[in-house]
Amino acid sequence: MKHVRRFTPSLFLSLVHVCLVQANYAPYFFDNGARSTNGNMALFSLSEDTPVGTHVYTLNGTDPEGDPVTYGLAYDAGSRRYFSVDKNLGNVTLIEELDREKEDEIEVIVSISDGLSTVSEKVRILVMDANDESPEFINTPYIVQVPENTPSGSSIFKIEAVDKDTGSGGSITYFLQNIHANKFTIDRHSGVLRIKTGVTLDYEKSRTHFVVVVAKDGGGKLRGDNKVFSATTTVTVNVEDVQDTPPMFIGTPYYGYVYEDTLAGSEVLTVVALDGDRGKPNSIHYCIVNGDEGSFEIGNTTGAISVIKSPNQLKKEVYELKVQASEVSQEGDVSVYAFAVVTIRVVDLNNHPPTFYGENGPQNRFELTMYEHPPEGEILRGLKITVNDSDQGANAKFNLRLVGPGGIFRVVPQTVLNEAQVTIIVENSAAIDYEKFKVLTFKLLAIEVNTPEKFSSTADVVIRLLDTNDNVPKFSSDYYIARIPENSPGGSNVVAVTATDPDSGLWGEVKYSIYGTGADLFLIHPSTGIIYTQPWAVLDAEVNSKYNFYVKAEDTDGKYSLAEVFITVLDVNDHSPEFNENIQEKTMIIGSPVKIEAIDQDAEEPNNIVDYSIMQADPANVFDIDQSTGEIKLKSYIRSLDIIHNITKNKDCIWSLVVQAKDRGSPSFSTTAVLKIDITEETLHKGPMAAFLMQTKDNPMKALGVLAGVMGIMVLITIMISTAMFWRNKRSNKITPVRRIIKKRQTPQPRAVRMEWLKFKRPSNAAEKFVVEDDSKSLHNENSNNNIQVAPVPPTAPVPPPPPTLAPRGDTPGWRVPTVSGSLTPKFINKQLKKRGHGSAHNALVSELKLKFEKRNAAIGEPHI
């Protein structure tokens, strides 16, 4: 029984639960292939330039039982975490910047769980390359030693650069900057640096070359753009000297002296020779070839020549020794050699001052002609000057000095023993300027050094300079500003430009020319520099008031300079103010101004500023005009037509003014015009019909056409209404009272109001305005109550009036008044008339206008001016 009690219902449920747990299946990922971004990240690859924060993948899987799954990412210990995952959605986000050059594979443990079972997989994510690395040179700095006799085209060095990228981004090509300026080329693929074909190196000319090498990768994608990176380095090429130049004697010619008190074995002078190859010079070995006659010897290594006999044993006064200087290599071999002649003179005691000699003997004046600005360091070879002291030993030692403008020349040697060839060397080329000095004069002074007598002598050195074309013509100003009136005739002078060239002769002659888009209307005298207009040129400030172009000053050798010329065409008052019409017609409502306008085509003020004035008015003292704006107003005391009727006897409301428009130029021009003003009062009626009649009062044909159309429409509507009512009454067998129709019509305005509107344009005999007859009573009764059951017959359209007869007035064309009110043609529409409302008096107005145009066909009188 105890055993049975243990199998209670709760124990049974536990066993069932165990069975259910054991039946649960694990979730699994979808494997969607290598290029998929949805699955278990197997064979997934990612570019290293992917921005941090990018959603790069979506983990996706399922549970066989359909339970919700969650996702996870894990890394091995010590590994960097590059990704994070949304555990519910499976969205994988990049959280750490990738670098393929540091880590090209990332191991990640992805997991999927249904809450009971978890499945984990280790996947490898490949980091793909992006072109994010620049080439880098290795084993820098590059210093190359190249012998100067290296054949052209030879390889001298190999430059190597690496790029950590792969593919085209990791391929490198090489090239040189300033390829045309240097003596080297480089193989674009191997980086081998070579001497250009046909080019040789010369240590004596240039000992070092700096070659700038550029390494560029093949380019590739980086964050969506194609990028190409490059790097530069400098290769220092040191040229090594090679023994290819013979030795050279320094300070030739050599002169030495043996005085009568000189002891045997005394040093007379020293010759110096140097190896022409200065990089690795060989030692020099000296020897006397001939001419010594056993009286002199030379130090093999020092070059010092000594007398080995006493002066009284010397049989000749002058000895000429031929000295050989030979190069001795480090191995002791004699390679090349050179010769020099040493002149040794035997002299007595100090009884002679230093003396200057020319080619023909003693000389105290030396002249030389040379071109200005010789190169610095150049020797004045045209001066054959020798200085000599006939004494012996210390008595023949003296100093040389050049006295004159300082810093231009220097004399070599500065200290002389016995005799020397005087050399004058250029120190300051810029100071030897023909434009400053035509002749340079110096004193060549020789003074003994260690003698109590201090014997000295001088010689004049005169250097005559020849000119070279070393100057560019220079304008007196960088730009010239000129002004010319627009009415200047063709060929008028505008401005004179001046350029000077201090060079002499043909080089100093300046020729002028002009060019530029603004130079078409101008010419320049090639010698004087005077700029003038073309003979056919017509200047007009209203068309173009600004011109600018360049002027060129050029010498015969092609050297030139430029200056800019700015020419302003001055406006001249050559236009009169112009009205749009010689006769203008305006309608003036009392209290409102009318405006006239004249245009002056001149370009500048005050020539184009117009002032207005009234020259003549009939009657006078009625109008005022604004001088600046041209607005014309009635005098302030004129407030109604009644006041105007009191002013003029013929009760005319159309007045003529002679107005003047005058500019402010000098001399001033003016223009007059006739202005006809029709004066009216503001009407009391408002409405579209009244506004329309006011707008078309100057065009009766338009008014008649529109009014005829309106009347036709009204007749048609009346017929339609009558027909409809007829059929209605016929169907109902009832006759509708007439007054029922009358009640539906609007009550017309009283006749007095309609006539009030017509009175705002009072007829004028002088203007022959249309007169309103009283015949309108035949169409309307006195109260305008047209309670007629039958629709009125529409009136016949009137015949257009004949064209107005032109009255001869000389040059002034005649004019007529083709309007209902007799006013001049208005240039604007009275805005007050637009405010009128629709009234019931329209039918009466149409009838009256019909009568007026019928009577207008009879006769048309002449207008009043």
Side-chain angles (χ1 to χ4, degrees):
M1 293 299 290
K2 294 181 180 177
H3 181 71
V4 173
R5 291 176 182 174
R6 290 182 180 177
F7 287 90
T8 60
S10 60
L11 180 60
F12 177 76
L13 291 176
S14 299
L15 293 175
V16 173
H17 178 70
V18 171
C19 293
L20 292 176
V21 170
Q22 290 177 348
N24 179 64
Y25 291 96
Y28 60 91
F29 284 105
F30 295 132
D31 187 359
N32 294 328
R35 297 185 179 180
S36 173
T37 59
N38 189 301
N40 61 348
M41 295 185 77
L43 300 178
F44 175 60
S45 61
L46 188 63
S47 178
E48 66 176 327
D49 61 348
T50 303
V52 174
T54 303
H55 172 209
V56 297
Y57 198 87
T58 300
L59 294 176
N60 194 7
T62 185
D63 183 71
E65 289 79 23
D67 292 334
V69 295
T70 59
Y71 304 93
L73 290 179
Y75 299 87
D76 291 336
S79 298
R80 180 178 294 181
R81 297 176 58 86
Y82 286 96
F83 304 97
S84 65
V85 64
D86 186 312
K87 66 177 183 178
N88 295 319
L89 300 178
N91 293 334
V92 179
T93 303
L94 180 67
I95 61 174
E96 184 73 23
E97 187 175 358
L98 301 176
D99 189 348
R100 188 203 64 82
E101 287 72 30
K102 294 180 180 179
E103 191 171 359
D104 59 355
E105 288 186 358
I106 301 173
E107 290 188 351
V108 181
I109 301 172
V110 298
S111 61
I112 183 171
S113 174
D114 61 359
L116 295 177
S117 300
T118 300
V119 176
S120 299
E121 298 179 10
K122 179 177 284 190
V123 295
R124 286 185 177 183
I125 299 172
L126 300 179
V127 181
M128 307 304 293
D129 187 41
N131 190 26
D132 61 342
E133 297 290 338
S134 300
E136 294 182 3
F137 290 95
I138 61 176
N139 300 324
T140 56
Y142 298 133
I143 301 176
V144 186
Q145 306 293 334
V146 182
E148 64 176 333
N149 59 352
T150 303
S152 63
S154 300
S155 300
I156 61 173
F157 192 71
K158 182 176 181 180
I159 293 107
E160 187 174 359
V162 296
D163 193 316
K164 297 178 182 179
D165 292 316
T166 61
S168 63
S171 64
I172 296 177
T173 56
Y174 304 89
F175 60 92
L176 302 182
Q177 288 186 355
N178 302 324
I179 184 65
H180 302 291
N182 57 52
K183 297 184 176 184
F184 305 92
T185 60
I186 192 170
D187 187 282
R188 64 192 304 268
H189 298 294
S190 65
V192 174
L193 188 67
R194 293 185 174 89
I195 301 175
K196 277 186 179 178
T197 303
V199 174
T200 57
L201 304 179
D202 191 343
Y203 176 86
E204 284 71 34
K205 292 183 179 179
S206 180
R207 301 183 181 184
T208 304
H209 299 272
F210 298 99
V211 183
V212 179
V213 181
V214 180
K216 182 175 68 174
D217 64 20
K221 291 291 185 178
L222 179 64
R223 297 182 181 89
D225 296 328
N226 191 49
K227 296 291 185 179
V228 177
F229 293 99
S230 62
T232 59
T233 188
T234 301
V235 180
T236 303
V237 180
N238 294 323
V239 181
E240 294 182 343
D241 192 21
V242 176
Q243 292 296 327
D244 58 355
T245 305
M248 296 179 295
F249 282 96
I250 304 300
T252 59
Y254 294 113
Y255 294 94
Y257 300 93
V258 176
Y259 297 94
E260 57 185 352
D261 58 351
T262 301
L263 298 177
S266 299
E267 181 181 322
V268 179
L269 78 161
T270 301
V271 297
V272 178
L274 299 177
D275 188 351
D277 302 303
R278 302 298 177 85
K280 295 179 180 180
N282 289 327
S283 60
I284 304 297
H285 182 274
Y286 301 94
C287 65
I288 299 175
V289 178
N290 57 43
D292 61 323
E293 297 182 1
S295 301
F296 300 93
E297 66 179 3
I298 188 170
N300 292 336
T301 58
T302 62
I305 299 175
S306 302
V307 60
I308 58 177
K309 292 180 180 179
S310 61
N312 57 3
Q313 293 177 329
L314 299 178
K315 298 178 180 180
K316 295 173 65 175
E317 184 178 352
V318 177
Y319 291 85
E320 291 187 349
L321 311 180
K322 185 177 182 180
V323 178
Q324 175 180 308
S326 304
E327 291 187 21
V328 180
S329 64
Q330 295 179 356
E331 293 79 13
D333 299 329
V334 177
S335 54
V336 292
Y337 50 85
F339 297 98
V341 175
V342 178
T343 302
I344 299 177
R345 185 183 299 273
V346 180
V347 294
D348 57 0
L349 297 176
N350 186 26
N351 51 7
H352 298 89
T355 305
F356 293 99
Y357 293 87
E359 292 180 339
N360 299 320
Q363 188 175 332
N364 60 5
R365 183 179 177 88
F366 299 88
E367 296 186 2
L368 173 67
T369 301
M370 60 179 290
Y371 284 100
E372 62 177 335
H373 304 303
E376 293 182 1
E378 181 173 298
I379 298 174
L380 304 187
R381 302 185 184 278
L383 292 175
K384 305 294 185 180
I385 305 175
T386 303
V387 63
N388 173 263
D389 191 326
S390 300
D391 293 322
Q392 301 295 321
N395 293 329
K397 187 176 182 181
F398 55 92
N399 290 336
L400 286 178
R401 192 169 62 187
L402 202 60
V403 180
I408 300 178
F409 298 100
R410 62 185 175 91
V411 63
V412 176
Q414 294 182 350
T415 300
V416 179
L417 182 62
N418 299 122
E419 184 173 307
Q421 184 77 29
V422 179
T423 301
I424 298 178
I425 301 175
V426 176
E427 271 199 334
N428 186 355
S429 175
I432 307 173
D433 193 345
Y434 176 84
E435 285 72 36
K436 295 180 181 178
F437 309 101
K438 304 294 187 295
V439 178
L440 293 172
T441 302
F442 298 89
K443 287 284 187 181
L444 187 58
L445 177 63
I447 304 175
E448 292 181 349
V449 179
N450 298 322
T451 63
E453 294 84 6
K454 297 292 183 182
F455 291 139
S456 65
S457 61
T458 60
D460 293 327
V461 179
V462 179
I463 300 175
R464 303 184 186 279
L465 298 180
L466 298 177
D467 193 20
T468 61
N469 190 20
D470 60 332
N471 290 284
V472 176
K474 185 176 182 181
F475 282 97
S476 58
S477 176
D478 293 333
Y479 56 90
Y480 295 87
I481 299 175
R483 297 174 177 84
I484 181 172
E486 64 177 338
N487 60 354
S488 300
S492 298
N493 292 346
V494 180
V495 64
V497 300
T498 304
T500 56
D501 190 329
D503 292 319
S504 62
L506 295 177
W507 288 328
E509 294 182 3
V510 178
K511 182 180 179 181
Y512 300 95
S513 59
I514 59 176
Y515 66 93
T517 56
D520 297 339
L521 298 182
F522 302 93
L523 297 172
I524 188 170
H525 194 281
S527 300
T528 63
I530 296 176
I531 298 175
Y532 54 95
T533 58
Q534 294 269 14
W536 46 264
V538 177
L539 302 178
D540 192 345
E542 290 74 38
V543 176
N544 190 359
S545 62
K546 302 290 183 182
Y547 297 89
N548 76 289
F549 48 85
Y550 290 95
V551 59
K552 179 180 181 181
E554 183 177 13
D555 62 18
T556 55
D557 205 20
K559 294 184 176 181
Y560 67 91
S561 62
L562 301 176
E564 195 166 3
V565 178
F566 298 89
I567 297 177
T568 300
V569 179
L570 299 177
D571 184 41
V572 176
N573 192 21
D574 55 353
H575 289 84
S576 301
E578 295 181 2
F579 290 97
N580 292 335
E581 300 175 358
N582 290 334
I583 299 178
Q584 301 187 34
E585 302 171 352
K586 303 281 186 180
T587 299
M588 177 185 286
I589 298 175
I590 294 177
S592 300
V594 296
K595 185 177 181 179
I596 60 172
E597 185 177 9
I599 304 299
D600 194 310
Q601 299 296 332
D602 285 311
E604 299 177 0
E605 298 180 357
N607 297 334
N608 58 5
I609 297 179
V610 179
D611 293 332
Y612 302 92
S613 61
I614 298 176
M615 303 300 295
Q616 183 179 351
D618 184 19
N621 199 27
V622 173
F623 297 97
D624 288 326
I625 188 169
D626 189 293
Q627 178 181 348
S628 301
T629 64
E631 286 190 348
I632 300 175
K633 300 179 180 178
L634 289 169
K635 295 287 186 179
S636 58
Y637 65 87
I638 300 177
R639 299 183 178 87
S640 65
L641 286 176
D642 295 334
I643 298 175
I644 294 176
H645 293 158
N646 294 333
I647 295 175
T648 176
K649 296 180 180 180
N650 54 12
K651 307 298 181 180
D652 192 1
C653 295
I654 300 178
W655 290 347
S656 297
L657 306 177
V658 177
V659 294
Q660 181 189 65
K662 182 177 182 182
D663 62 30
R664 297 184 184 180
S666 179
S668 178
F669 293 100
S670 62
T671 303
T672 58
V674 175
L675 177 63
K676 298 176 180 179
I677 300 178
D678 184 4
I679 303 175
T680 66
E681 282 185 325
E682 184 176 4
T683 179
L684 298 176
H685 286 278
K686 309 292 182 181
M689 180 60 70
F692 169 76
L693 292 177
M694 279 300 298
Q695 294 173 12
T696 59
K697 65 185 179 66
D698 294 329
N699 192 346
M701 297 306 300
K702 180 178 180 181
L704 284 175
V706 174
L707 293 178
V710 172
M711 292 174 62
I713 292 173
M714 294 176 63
V715 170
L716 180 61
I717 293 172
T718 303
I719 293 174
M720 292 175 64
I721 293 173
S722 301
T723 303
M725 294 183 65
F726 170 77
W727 286 105
R728 177 182 176 185
N729 294 335
K730 183 176 180 180
R731 291 176 182 177
S732 60
N733 295 324
K734 294 180 181 181
I735 299 177
T736 305
V738 174
R739 58 179 172 272
R740 292 183 61 190
I741 300 175
I742 295 175
K743 289 181 180 179
K744 292 183 180 181
R745 299 181 61 186
Q746 296 180 356
T747 303
Q749 296 292 331
R751 180 179 178 83
V753 177
R754 173 177 53 79
M755 295 305 295
E756 243 341 279
W757 183 85
L758 289 174
K759 288 181 182 180
F760 87 98
K761 289 291 184 182
R762 298 188 179 185
S764 173
N765 293 332
E768 294 186 6
K769 299 181 179 179
F770 296 104
V771 180
V772 179
E773 297 290 343
D774 201 25
D775 295 340
S776 59
K777 295 178 181 179
S778 63
L779 297 177
H780 305 280
N781 60 21
E782 223 175 275
N783 297 322
S784 299
N785 295 325
N786 298 327
N787 300 326
I788 304 174
Q789 296 178 2
V790 182
V793 179
T796 304
V799 179
T805 303
L806 300 179
R809 289 178 56 88
D811 295 336
T812 305
W815 57 275
R816 300 184 66 84
V817 185
T819 63
V820 174
S821 64
S823 64
L824 299 180
T825 302
K827 300 297 182 181
F828 61 93
I829 299 174
N830 193 338
K831 296 182 180 179
Q832 294 180 351
L833 296 179
K834 295 182 180 180
K835 298 180 181 179
R836 293 181 183 145
H838 292 282
S840 61
H842 291 169
N843 292 336
L845 291 175
V846 172
S847 300
E848 289 180 351
L849 286 173
K850 172 178 176 296
L851 292 176
K852 292 169 76 174
F853 278 103
E854 288 176 350
K855 292 181 178 293
R856 183 71 175 84
N857 293 333
I860 298 176
E862 293 297 326
H864 171 71
I865 299 179

